[in-house]
Amino acid sequence: MARLRTRNHKVVLSRSAGGDIGISIFLIIFGLFMFIPMYYVIIQSLKPMDELWQYPPRFYVVHMTFQNFADMFNAMSDSWVPFSRYIFNTVLISVVGTFGNLVCGSLAAYTISKIKFPGRTALFRLVRLSLMFHTTVASIVNYMTMSRLGWIDTYLAVIIPAWGSTLGMFLMKQFMEGNISDAVLESARLDGSSELRTYWTIAMPMVKPGWLTLIVYSFKDLWNMGSSTYIMSEQLKTFNYAVQQIVSGGVARAGVGCAASVVMMLVPIAVFVFSQSQVVETMATSGMKD
Amino acid sequence: MSDNAKAAAPRKPVARKDMTRWQWTWKEMKRNYAAYLMCAPFFLIFFTFTVGPVVLSIYYSFTVFNLIQPEHFVWLENYMRLIFDDDTFLKAIENTLIFAVVTGPVSYLLSLVTAWFINELAPKIRAVVTLIFYAPSISGGVYLIWKVAFDGDEYGYVNSLLMRYGIETQPILFFQNATYVMPICIVVALWTSLGVAFLSFIGGLQAVDKAQYEAGAVDGIRNRWQEFWYITLPNMKQQLLFGAVMSITQSFGFGDIVTALAGFPSVNYCAWTIVHHLQDYGGQRFEVGYASAIATILFAIMIGSNMLVNKILSKVGQ
């Protein structure tokens, strides 16, 4: 048996140098593969015209400029909708959609995890099942539903379904299960607090990481939404749609395309950075159990 | 206090004696009416836009329906047509399975191994490294940069590299050549694939009780690989199952990336997947019955592979 190493009366776990080197090499190579494309988009967005055309392409910028970001607002000039409108649409959809998902999802997560009512297990199993398939399979019937509701070509068609999206709700329920003590809820109920009040004043403040996780996922999905089959009017289309138009506009708009992509990606990344430790905490309770 | 006691009284659990199961259930339902009201908004939307459509699609898949005339029942005709009369669909199934079988497990293992390696870094560094690996999966359409990288003229980065080092003399039209389209799409899909499963593993790894590692060292665990196998993995079984579901579902949903890179349709349908076939018949040709059959098959494949893998994984370590 290997000798047990200790330092300051603590056990030192055995770590071979070879393993350390192998792991570092893996992380560096794979990390570069992940990082370089992102880095390159950012660098390209900061380059002036003449540097964009340098050949072979360079991975640094000499004369940094924000001109591409300014030009972004004129890049969709062949569209009669002002560029800010696309941004407005995406912000509106993301904020209202995420807020609704937070309200509906946390209410459902709370009731299912903390109130013992008949049917809760069956409902949760359905939610869990929904994680196993892509919502594309619902797209045909959804189109029919939307047109019957008269929601085609309105914000409602993209916002309302997001209120019932399941991933955030699922993670929140799993997190609530382990992080809200039933005894506290029980004493609140005995004091005559209604379920809605218990949910809002006692349960919700205890599961802030769960909230943030739901927000991160819901927001990311909505923010990154491109063209939707339900939306035809140009003035209702999203920022991601506009970015794709610019990027596919070809070489003439390379810098602007990168600038738009940077704006596109920085927002969800910022939201994630802000809540990273809480998301990871929530993930510690993620699992497929009932 | 007496007011409170009165208010609390009706919510007391009903004792389950002297009544049938149904009577008891009904009593419990009445007692918990607030719970139903509270989860109603979520489940109303969930049933309207997810559960209902899936069930209806299965029904429509046995009919011919064009949105104008009422549907009529044709039993398995749509499925027969798909399997025996639609070569594009068979190609789509093949591509979908290739995509899923490659990206699913590879993305899963990459997520797990990377999360494990990252876990030993100092917290501040770990947060940054996590972000680097995770960022591509949340940054929307940034994968379009890969389209620029693989551009068909000599200005595409890959082509310029190949030509500079004399590996090729002519630029390769990557997205017009059936040999390259699938592999490139798979690489890009993998690039965006360190998502929910990856974070789940990170969360799971951090939740493992550190004392167990020390106990393990005392019990004769000699290196980090043994430690991973005997302590870490059994401790994060829940995350392993959850991550598998996320990876599998994700591996069937890369249609948008393929469309953005290779076009709709891709050259000779070389990267045509079931999702594309579904979009084609459902969104463009409005053959609802036929498209529903496609959706149902896709649904069955996704659920089936998830169930299968979950069954296998839950046996591991028992």
Side-chain angles (χ1 to χ4, degrees):
Chain A
M1 199 178 105
R3 194 169 53 88
L4 191 64
R5 288 187 294 162
T6 54
R7 189 183 301 144
N8 296 334
H9 305 289
K10 275 188 167 172
V11 179
V12 178
L13 304 175
S14 146
R15 293 285 179 268
S16 67
D20 280 342
I21 295 168
I23 286 172
S24 308
I25 291 174
F26 172 87
L27 281 182
I28 289 169
I29 292 177
F30 189 42
L32 285 176
F33 168 73
M34 298 303 274
F35 183 64
I36 285 176
M38 309 285 285
Y39 171 78
Y40 194 71
V41 172
I42 297 171
I43 283 296
Q44 288 291 84
S45 74
L46 297 172
K47 283 182 182 173
M49 226 11 152
D50 54 323
E51 281 187 56
L52 277 170
W53 298 120
Q54 235 143 35
Y55 183 83
R58 282 201 310 225
F59 278 86
Y60 55 91
V61 48
V62 183
H63 302 289
M64 201 172 91
T65 169
F66 288 98
Q67 191 57 40
N68 289 321
F69 289 89
D71 289 345
M72 192 172 79
F73 288 90
N74 306 319
M76 294 287 281
S77 51
D78 46 342
S79 152
W80 58 273
V81 178
F83 191 73
S84 50
R85 181 65 193 252
Y86 299 107
I87 299 181
F88 170 80
N89 289 338
T90 286
V91 171
L92 179 84
I93 291 168
S94 312
V95 170
V96 178
T98 303
F99 180 76
N101 191 210
L102 178 63
V103 173
C104 299
S106 65
L107 272 168
Y110 170 75
T111 43
I112 286 200
S113 60
K114 291 295 159 188
I115 305 179
K116 294 188 173 40
F117 64 93
R120 63 205 274 266
T121 321
L123 286 175
F124 186 65
R125 290 217 172 117
L126 270 179
V127 169
R128 194 174 58 179
L129 195 70
S130 82
L131 298 179
M132 299 190 180
F133 61 87
H134 238 263
T135 40
T136 347
V137 296
S139 58
I140 309 155
V141 178
N142 271 344
Y143 191 88
M144 290 152 64
T145 314
M146 295 295 177
S147 66
R148 195 153 302 171
L149 290 167
W151 287 2
I152 297 288
D153 218 16
T154 67
Y155 290 120
L156 290 176
V158 284
I159 291 176
I160 303 294
W163 289 9
S165 83
T166 46
L167 179 62
M169 180 272 189
F170 176 86
L171 292 171
M172 194 153 195
K173 184 259 173 192
Q174 301 295 51
F175 188 72
M176 284 175 160
E177 202 104 293
N179 287 278
I180 300 179
S181 108
D182 285 318
V184 175
L185 295 182
E186 208 45 56
S187 66
R189 284 174 193 145
L190 284 176
D191 281 347
S193 160
S194 71
E195 282 299 347
L196 197 61
R197 207 183 133 93
T198 317
Y199 149 83
W200 183 246
T201 57
I202 297 173
M204 286 303 270
M206 290 164 107
V207 289
K208 208 170 143 226
W211 284 55
L212 284 169
T213 307
L214 186 146
I215 290 175
V216 167
Y217 282 114
S218 184
F219 183 85
K220 173 215 107 185
D221 278 348
L222 290 162
W223 181 267
N224 290 335
M225 194 172 59
S227 53
S228 158
T229 39
Y230 312 129
I231 304 289
M232 291 84 170
S233 309
E234 195 67 22
Q235 75 267 26
L236 295 183
K237 289 193 169 162
T238 60
F239 183 44
N240 192 8
Y241 162 82
V243 172
Q244 301 217 359
Q245 296 300 307
I246 298 173
V247 173
S248 58
V251 283
R253 289 156 163 189
V256 180
C258 286
S261 302
V262 168
V263 176
M264 180 86 231
M265 76 191 199
L266 280 188
V267 175
I269 289 178
V271 172
F272 175 69
V273 167
F274 170 71
S275 51
Q276 184 171 0
S277 60
Q278 267 99 346
V279 174
V280 169
E281 195 185 332
T282 309
M283 284 300 180
T285 61
S286 62
M288 295 313 284
K289 60 184 187 298
D290 277 337
Chain B
M1 186 61 216
S2 67
D3 278 357
N4 285 346
K6 234 182 272 168
R11 287 212 301 274
K12 248 173 68 180
V14 186
R16 191 179 174 179
K17 52 182 179 185
D18 304 330
M19 57 177 116
T20 64
R21 198 193 151 145
W22 293 114
Q23 280 174 319
W24 178 79
T25 308
W26 179 238
K27 280 235 161 78
E28 277 291 289
M29 284 172 78
K30 278 198 290 193
R31 187 174 70 87
N32 286 303
Y33 73 96
Y36 293 98
L37 286 179
M38 280 163 74
C39 67
F42 179 85
F43 282 104
L44 198 66
I45 295 167
F46 174 58
F47 275 90
T48 313
F49 296 109
T50 307
V51 182
V54 170
V55 176
L56 268 178
S57 287
I58 296 174
Y59 165 72
Y60 283 132
S61 73
F62 299 110
T63 68
V64 167
F65 184 28
N66 57 9
L67 291 177
I68 300 159
Q69 293 144 319
E71 74 269 18
H72 66 267
F73 218 69
V74 293
W75 296 104
L76 292 175
E77 208 172 275
N78 288 323
Y79 292 96
M80 294 302 191
R81 203 177 126 202
L82 269 173
I83 293 163
F84 296 112
D85 221 21
D86 191 341
D87 292 340
T88 329
F89 180 66
L90 296 184
K91 184 78 193 158
I93 289 218
E94 186 193 326
N95 284 335
T96 306
L97 291 181
I98 293 175
F99 237 102
V101 168
V102 177
T103 61
V106 173
S107 151
Y108 184 73
L109 289 176
L110 278 177
S111 299
L112 180 59
V113 168
T114 313
W116 174 40
F117 288 171
I118 288 176
N119 193 45
E120 293 201 354
L121 301 174
K124 286 259 162 57
I125 304 172
R126 185 172 60 210
V128 174
V129 177
T130 304
L131 181 66
I132 288 177
F133 285 99
Y134 183 63
S137 75
I138 51 172
S139 41
V142 176
Y143 56 76
L144 284 170
I145 191 70
W146 289 89
K147 194 179 169 113
V148 182
F150 284 103
D151 237 355
D153 54 31
E154 66 265 41
Y155 292 108
Y157 309 138
V158 175
N159 270 326
S160 75
L161 274 177
L162 288 176
M163 284 162 71
R164 190 136 66 109
Y165 293 107
I167 301 167
E168 294 284 341
T169 48
Q170 287 292 309
I172 303 170
L173 296 165
F174 285 105
F175 293 111
Q176 269 77 54
N177 190 329
T179 337
Y180 297 112
V181 173
M182 275 293 274
I184 293 175
C185 290
I186 286 176
V187 168
V188 177
L190 283 174
W191 184 70
T192 65
S193 75
L194 260 62
V196 186
F198 173 63
L199 279 193
S200 171
F201 295 151
I202 296 224
L205 283 161
Q206 288 186 23
V208 178
D209 184 6
K210 302 286 175 291
Q212 288 198 31
Y213 292 122
E214 296 185 2
V218 175
D219 286 345
I221 283 201
R222 242 167 283 142
N223 53 42
R224 71 182 105 213
W225 321 104
Q226 283 183 352
E227 192 180 284
F228 184 63
W229 189 253
Y230 291 112
I231 302 176
T232 312
L233 282 185
N235 262 301
M236 51 184 290
K237 196 164 168 191
Q238 283 302 321
Q239 281 79 18
L240 293 178
L241 291 172
F242 176 68
V245 170
M246 290 290 113
S247 298
I248 293 168
T249 309
Q250 179 179 254
S251 71
F252 287 101
F254 286 127
D256 288 344
I257 293 183
V258 177
T259 306
L261 292 176
F264 188 88
S266 39
V267 174
N268 294 332
Y269 294 91
C270 61
W272 192 253
T273 65
I274 306 182
V275 171
H276 295 115
H277 213 57
L278 177 59
Q279 287 168 348
D280 190 16
Y281 279 93
Q284 312 207 332
R285 306 190 201 196
F286 292 106
E287 290 190 38
V288 174
Y290 196 60
S292 295
I294 301 170
T296 305
I297 290 179
L298 180 60
F299 176 74
I301 294 178
M302 288 193 282
I303 294 284
S305 45
N306 261 305
M307 298 281 190
L308 182 75
V309 171
N310 241 308
K311 199 154 218 170
I312 295 169
L313 277 181
S314 58
K315 287 228 167 67
V316 172
Q318 270 184 357

